[in-house]
């Protein structure tokens, strides 16, 4: 949530006026079966709501791989994932990124994709290199190196995504 909160803060401070509706959604019950995102994606699908793109950012603080960021390539939309790569190359050219797979519907992007929506997912590392302290009492800011420097890369990606999809795309 922290990187997306920063994106919202920057957009409001810049008085950004998107040409499309933008929604920042925080989901409940991801860990017990993607229930919140599933309910919302179901409601959008049932109502026939057009969604241009969904950007999922889950686990953004731990830099466990050589690369700064990994784009999940399964249970996502391939063209939208490639678009994220283009955004990284354009707006953060010094950042190293790769693609990786979860091997299953591992986060809140999957319900959107399974209902035919274009969803992409950026992740803190290659999938097997994520924060080893997740879901433990040791999952603290100290585990992340004591700063939000890694998560800031995700905030910058989300700002580029926001601008490109809502103003230019």
């Amino acid at each position: 949530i922290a990187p997306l909160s920063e994106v919202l803060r920057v957009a409001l401070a810049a008085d950004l006026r998107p040409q499309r509706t933008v929604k920042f959604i925080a989901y409940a019950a991801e860990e017990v079966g993607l229930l919140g995102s599933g309910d919302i994606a179901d409601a959008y699908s049932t109502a026939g709501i057009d969604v241009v793109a969904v950007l999922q950012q889950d686990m953004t603080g731990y830099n466990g791989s050589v690369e700064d960021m990994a784009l999940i390539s399964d249970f996502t939309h391939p063209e939208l994932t490639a678009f994220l790569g283009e955004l990284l190359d354009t707006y953060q050219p010094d950042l190293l990124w790769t693609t990786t797979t979860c091997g299953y519907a591992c986060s809140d992007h999957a319900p959107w994709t399974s209902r035919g929506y274009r969803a992409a997912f950026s992740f803190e590392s290659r999938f097997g290199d994520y924060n080893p302290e997740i879901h433990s009492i040791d999952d603290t800011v100290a585990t992340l190196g004591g700063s939000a420097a890694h998560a800031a890369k995700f905030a910058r990606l989300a700002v580029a995504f926001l601008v490109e999809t809502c103003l230019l795309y």
Side-chain angles (χ1 to χ4, degrees), residues 12 30 35 38 44 47 49 56 58 62 76 83 93 99-100 124 126 132 161 166:
L12 291 172
E30 185 245 10
L35 300 180
Y44 275 57
I49 297 172
Q56 168 66 8
D58 182 10
Y62 181 79
T76 57
F83 178 63
T99 58
T100 191
E124 66 187 7
R126 291 178 181 265
F161 184 84
C166 295

PDB file of all heavy atoms in Angstrom, residues 12 30 35 38 44 47 49 56 58 62 76 83 93 99-100 124 126 132 161 166:
ATOM      1  N   LEU A  12      -2.036  14.010  -6.460  1.00  0.00           N
ATOM      2  CA  LEU A  12      -2.826  15.109  -5.892  1.00  0.00           C
ATOM      3  C   LEU A  12      -1.995  16.385  -5.789  1.00  0.00           C
ATOM      4  O   LEU A  12      -2.492  17.479  -6.102  1.00  0.00           O
ATOM      5  CB  LEU A  12      -3.366  14.707  -4.518  1.00  0.00           C
ATOM      6  CG  LEU A  12      -4.447  13.622  -4.528  1.00  0.00           C
ATOM      7  CD1 LEU A  12      -4.762  13.156  -3.109  1.00  0.00           C
ATOM      8  CD2 LEU A  12      -5.696  14.079  -5.251  1.00  0.00           C
ATOM      9  N   GLU A  30      -6.424 -11.509   0.850  1.00  0.00           N
ATOM     10  CA  GLU A  30      -5.586 -12.063  -0.223  1.00  0.00           C
ATOM     11  C   GLU A  30      -5.008 -13.408   0.200  1.00  0.00           C
ATOM     12  O   GLU A  30      -5.016 -14.363  -0.570  1.00  0.00           O
ATOM     13  CB  GLU A  30      -4.456 -11.074  -0.558  1.00  0.00           C
ATOM     14  CG  GLU A  30      -3.600 -11.518  -1.737  1.00  0.00           C
ATOM     15  CD  GLU A  30      -2.158 -11.817  -1.379  1.00  0.00           C
ATOM     16  OE1 GLU A  30      -1.816 -11.876  -0.188  1.00  0.00           O
ATOM     17  OE2 GLU A  30      -1.379 -12.026  -2.309  1.00  0.00           O
ATOM     18  N   LEU A  35      -9.875 -13.374  -1.858  1.00  0.00           N
ATOM     19  CA  LEU A  35     -11.311 -13.142  -1.714  1.00  0.00           C
ATOM     20  C   LEU A  35     -11.715 -11.713  -2.044  1.00  0.00           C
ATOM     21  O   LEU A  35     -12.701 -11.480  -2.752  1.00  0.00           O
ATOM     22  CB  LEU A  35     -11.762 -13.506  -0.302  1.00  0.00           C
ATOM     23  CG  LEU A  35     -11.534 -14.967   0.116  1.00  0.00           C
ATOM     24  CD1 LEU A  35     -12.024 -15.203   1.531  1.00  0.00           C
ATOM     25  CD2 LEU A  35     -12.167 -15.924  -0.870  1.00  0.00           C
ATOM     26  N   GLY A  38     -11.131 -10.998  -5.728  1.00  0.00           N
ATOM     27  CA  GLY A  38     -12.094 -11.812  -6.466  1.00  0.00           C
ATOM     28  C   GLY A  38     -13.486 -11.215  -6.441  1.00  0.00           C
ATOM     29  O   GLY A  38     -14.176 -11.165  -7.467  1.00  0.00           O
ATOM     30  N   TYR A  44     -17.172  -6.069 -10.983  1.00  0.00           N
ATOM     31  CA  TYR A  44     -16.893  -5.312 -12.208  1.00  0.00           C
ATOM     32  C   TYR A  44     -17.328  -6.101 -13.439  1.00  0.00           C
ATOM     33  O   TYR A  44     -17.931  -5.561 -14.362  1.00  0.00           O
ATOM     34  CB  TYR A  44     -15.401  -4.983 -12.305  1.00  0.00           C
ATOM     35  CG  TYR A  44     -14.985  -3.739 -11.568  1.00  0.00           C
ATOM     36  CD1 TYR A  44     -15.212  -3.581 -10.203  1.00  0.00           C
ATOM     37  CD2 TYR A  44     -14.352  -2.706 -12.229  1.00  0.00           C
ATOM     38  CE1 TYR A  44     -14.829  -2.448  -9.533  1.00  0.00           C
ATOM     39  CE2 TYR A  44     -13.956  -1.559 -11.566  1.00  0.00           C
ATOM     40  CZ  TYR A  44     -14.201  -1.440 -10.213  1.00  0.00           C
ATOM     41  OH  TYR A  44     -13.812  -0.310  -9.563  1.00  0.00           O
ATOM     42  N   ALA A  47     -21.154  -6.314 -13.717  1.00  0.00           N
ATOM     43  CA  ALA A  47     -21.723  -5.020 -14.114  1.00  0.00           C
ATOM     44  C   ALA A  47     -21.253  -4.586 -15.505  1.00  0.00           C
ATOM     45  O   ALA A  47     -21.719  -3.565 -16.013  1.00  0.00           O
ATOM     46  CB  ALA A  47     -21.341  -3.958 -13.083  1.00  0.00           C
ATOM     47  N   ILE A  49     -18.296  -3.459 -16.358  1.00  0.00           N
ATOM     48  CA  ILE A  49     -17.470  -2.259 -16.241  1.00  0.00           C
ATOM     49  C   ILE A  49     -16.198  -2.438 -17.058  1.00  0.00           C
ATOM     50  O   ILE A  49     -15.496  -3.440 -16.928  1.00  0.00           O
ATOM     51  CB  ILE A  49     -17.144  -1.959 -14.762  1.00  0.00           C
ATOM     52  CG1 ILE A  49     -18.438  -1.656 -14.007  1.00  0.00           C
ATOM     53  CG2 ILE A  49     -16.154  -0.807 -14.646  1.00  0.00           C
ATOM     54  CD1 ILE A  49     -18.261  -1.535 -12.508  1.00  0.00           C
ATOM     55  N   GLN A  56      -1.062  -4.441 -10.319  1.00  0.00           N
ATOM     56  CA  GLN A  56      -0.966  -5.023  -8.989  1.00  0.00           C
ATOM     57  C   GLN A  56       0.468  -4.850  -8.499  1.00  0.00           C
ATOM     58  O   GLN A  56       1.419  -5.173  -9.212  1.00  0.00           O
ATOM     59  CB  GLN A  56      -1.329  -6.515  -9.040  1.00  0.00           C
ATOM     60  CG  GLN A  56      -1.004  -7.292  -7.799  1.00  0.00           C
ATOM     61  CD  GLN A  56      -1.806  -6.882  -6.584  1.00  0.00           C
ATOM     62  OE1 GLN A  56      -2.740  -6.094  -6.650  1.00  0.00           O
ATOM     63  NE2 GLN A  56      -1.437  -7.401  -5.441  1.00  0.00           N
ATOM     64  N   ASP A  58       2.429  -5.969  -5.089  1.00  0.00           N
ATOM     65  CA  ASP A  58       2.374  -6.702  -3.829  1.00  0.00           C
ATOM     66  C   ASP A  58       3.800  -7.079  -3.473  1.00  0.00           C
ATOM     67  O   ASP A  58       4.511  -7.632  -4.304  1.00  0.00           O
ATOM     68  CB  ASP A  58       1.528  -7.960  -4.026  1.00  0.00           C
ATOM     69  CG  ASP A  58       1.355  -8.779  -2.762  1.00  0.00           C
ATOM     70  OD1 ASP A  58       1.712  -8.305  -1.672  1.00  0.00           O
ATOM     71  OD2 ASP A  58       0.862  -9.911  -2.875  1.00  0.00           O
ATOM     72  N   TYR A  62      11.474  -5.540  -0.297  1.00  0.00           N
ATOM     73  CA  TYR A  62      12.656  -6.372  -0.077  1.00  0.00           C
ATOM     74  C   TYR A  62      13.359  -6.623  -1.405  1.00  0.00           C
ATOM     75  O   TYR A  62      12.756  -7.127  -2.349  1.00  0.00           O
ATOM     76  CB  TYR A  62      12.233  -7.703   0.553  1.00  0.00           C
ATOM     77  CG  TYR A  62      13.364  -8.646   0.865  1.00  0.00           C
ATOM     78  CD1 TYR A  62      14.140  -8.458   2.000  1.00  0.00           C
ATOM     79  CD2 TYR A  62      13.633  -9.722   0.038  1.00  0.00           C
ATOM     80  CE1 TYR A  62      15.181  -9.333   2.305  1.00  0.00           C
ATOM     81  CE2 TYR A  62      14.660 -10.606   0.336  1.00  0.00           C
ATOM     82  CZ  TYR A  62      15.429 -10.404   1.463  1.00  0.00           C
ATOM     83  OH  TYR A  62      16.451 -11.278   1.755  1.00  0.00           O
ATOM     84  N   THR A  76      -1.070 -13.124 -15.861  1.00  0.00           N
ATOM     85  CA  THR A  76      -1.070 -11.701 -16.192  1.00  0.00           C
ATOM     86  C   THR A  76      -1.323 -11.550 -17.693  1.00  0.00           C
ATOM     87  O   THR A  76      -1.305 -12.539 -18.437  1.00  0.00           O
ATOM     88  CB  THR A  76       0.283 -11.044 -15.840  1.00  0.00           C
ATOM     89  OG1 THR A  76       1.336 -11.733 -16.518  1.00  0.00           O
ATOM     90  CG2 THR A  76       0.547 -11.059 -14.341  1.00  0.00           C
ATOM     91  N   PHE A  83       4.379  -3.770 -21.549  1.00  0.00           N
ATOM     92  CA  PHE A  83       4.246  -2.325 -21.377  1.00  0.00           C
ATOM     93  C   PHE A  83       4.938  -1.870 -20.098  1.00  0.00           C
ATOM     94  O   PHE A  83       5.636  -0.843 -20.092  1.00  0.00           O
ATOM     95  CB  PHE A  83       2.755  -1.945 -21.372  1.00  0.00           C
ATOM     96  CG  PHE A  83       2.469  -0.490 -21.153  1.00  0.00           C
ATOM     97  CD1 PHE A  83       2.895   0.461 -22.066  1.00  0.00           C
ATOM     98  CD2 PHE A  83       1.748  -0.082 -20.052  1.00  0.00           C
ATOM     99  CE1 PHE A  83       2.617   1.810 -21.872  1.00  0.00           C
ATOM    100  CE2 PHE A  83       1.462   1.262 -19.848  1.00  0.00           C
ATOM    101  CZ  PHE A  83       1.895   2.207 -20.773  1.00  0.00           C
ATOM    102  N   PRO A  93      15.811   3.858 -16.543  1.00  0.00           N
ATOM    103  CA  PRO A  93      16.707   3.066 -17.407  1.00  0.00           C
ATOM    104  C   PRO A  93      17.868   2.400 -16.679  1.00  0.00           C
ATOM    105  O   PRO A  93      18.421   1.425 -17.200  1.00  0.00           O
ATOM    106  CB  PRO A  93      17.199   4.092 -18.428  1.00  0.00           C
ATOM    107  CG  PRO A  93      17.033   5.417 -17.765  1.00  0.00           C
ATOM    108  CD  PRO A  93      15.818   5.276 -16.882  1.00  0.00           C
ATOM    109  N   THR A  99      11.723 -10.950 -15.707  1.00  0.00           N
ATOM    110  CA  THR A  99      10.403 -11.554 -15.539  1.00  0.00           C
ATOM    111  C   THR A  99      10.572 -12.805 -14.686  1.00  0.00           C
ATOM    112  O   THR A  99      11.653 -13.401 -14.617  1.00  0.00           O
ATOM    113  CB  THR A  99       9.748 -11.922 -16.889  1.00  0.00           C
ATOM    114  OG1 THR A  99      10.607 -12.815 -17.592  1.00  0.00           O
ATOM    115  CG2 THR A  99       9.488 -10.674 -17.721  1.00  0.00           C
ATOM    116  N   THR A 100       9.507 -13.185 -14.044  1.00  0.00           N
ATOM    117  CA  THR A 100       9.503 -14.380 -13.209  1.00  0.00           C
ATOM    118  C   THR A 100       8.083 -14.920 -13.168  1.00  0.00           C
ATOM    119  O   THR A 100       7.150 -14.230 -13.568  1.00  0.00           O
ATOM    120  CB  THR A 100      10.036 -14.052 -11.790  1.00  0.00           C
ATOM    121  OG1 THR A 100      10.266 -15.260 -11.067  1.00  0.00           O
ATOM    122  CG2 THR A 100       9.077 -13.165 -11.018  1.00  0.00           C
ATOM    123  N   GLU A 124       8.866  -7.593  -5.853  1.00  0.00           N
ATOM    124  CA  GLU A 124      10.112  -7.142  -5.256  1.00  0.00           C
ATOM    125  C   GLU A 124      11.367  -7.895  -5.700  1.00  0.00           C
ATOM    126  O   GLU A 124      12.479  -7.401  -5.527  1.00  0.00           O
ATOM    127  CB  GLU A 124      10.018  -7.194  -3.739  1.00  0.00           C
ATOM    128  CG  GLU A 124       9.885  -8.571  -3.139  1.00  0.00           C
ATOM    129  CD  GLU A 124       9.635  -8.534  -1.638  1.00  0.00           C
ATOM    130  OE1 GLU A 124       9.431  -7.450  -1.070  1.00  0.00           O
ATOM    131  OE2 GLU A 124       9.637  -9.622  -1.031  1.00  0.00           O
ATOM    132  N   ARG A 126      12.855 -11.846  -7.959  1.00  0.00           N
ATOM    133  CA  ARG A 126      12.423 -13.084  -8.593  1.00  0.00           C
ATOM    134  C   ARG A 126      11.547 -13.808  -7.570  1.00  0.00           C
ATOM    135  O   ARG A 126      11.762 -13.675  -6.367  1.00  0.00           O
ATOM    136  CB  ARG A 126      13.625 -13.949  -8.970  1.00  0.00           C
ATOM    137  CG  ARG A 126      14.441 -13.364 -10.096  1.00  0.00           C
ATOM    138  CD  ARG A 126      15.646 -14.249 -10.396  1.00  0.00           C
ATOM    139  NE  ARG A 126      16.440 -13.674 -11.445  1.00  0.00           N
ATOM    140  CZ  ARG A 126      16.322 -13.995 -12.736  1.00  0.00           C
ATOM    141  NH1 ARG A 126      15.444 -14.905 -13.098  1.00  0.00           N
ATOM    142  NH2 ARG A 126      17.074 -13.411 -13.645  1.00  0.00           N
ATOM    143  N   PRO A 132      12.282 -13.496   3.047  1.00  0.00           N
ATOM    144  CA  PRO A 132      12.154 -14.744   3.794  1.00  0.00           C
ATOM    145  C   PRO A 132      11.450 -14.582   5.138  1.00  0.00           C
ATOM    146  O   PRO A 132      11.053 -15.575   5.755  1.00  0.00           O
ATOM    147  CB  PRO A 132      13.613 -15.185   4.003  1.00  0.00           C
ATOM    148  CG  PRO A 132      14.398 -13.918   3.962  1.00  0.00           C
ATOM    149  CD  PRO A 132      13.670 -13.021   2.988  1.00  0.00           C
ATOM    150  N   PHE A 161       2.975   4.464 -14.950  1.00  0.00           N
ATOM    151  CA  PHE A 161       1.805   3.709 -15.395  1.00  0.00           C
ATOM    152  C   PHE A 161       0.559   4.595 -15.381  1.00  0.00           C
ATOM    153  O   PHE A 161      -0.213   4.613 -16.343  1.00  0.00           O
ATOM    154  CB  PHE A 161       1.628   2.494 -14.484  1.00  0.00           C
ATOM    155  CG  PHE A 161       0.512   1.575 -14.877  1.00  0.00           C
ATOM    156  CD1 PHE A 161       0.716   0.606 -15.838  1.00  0.00           C
ATOM    157  CD2 PHE A 161      -0.725   1.660 -14.263  1.00  0.00           C
ATOM    158  CE1 PHE A 161      -0.306  -0.266 -16.198  1.00  0.00           C
ATOM    159  CE2 PHE A 161      -1.747   0.799 -14.609  1.00  0.00           C
ATOM    160  CZ  PHE A 161      -1.541  -0.170 -15.579  1.00  0.00           C
ATOM    161  N   CYS A 166      -3.506   6.880 -18.292  1.00  0.00           N
ATOM    162  CA  CYS A 166      -4.643   7.785 -18.076  1.00  0.00           C
ATOM    163  C   CYS A 166      -4.528   9.101 -18.812  1.00  0.00           C
ATOM    164  O   CYS A 166      -5.497   9.836 -18.927  1.00  0.00           O
ATOM    165  CB  CYS A 166      -4.824   8.048 -16.586  1.00  0.00           C
ATOM    166  SG  CYS A 166      -5.274   6.562 -15.712  1.00  0.00           S
TER     167      CYS A 166
END
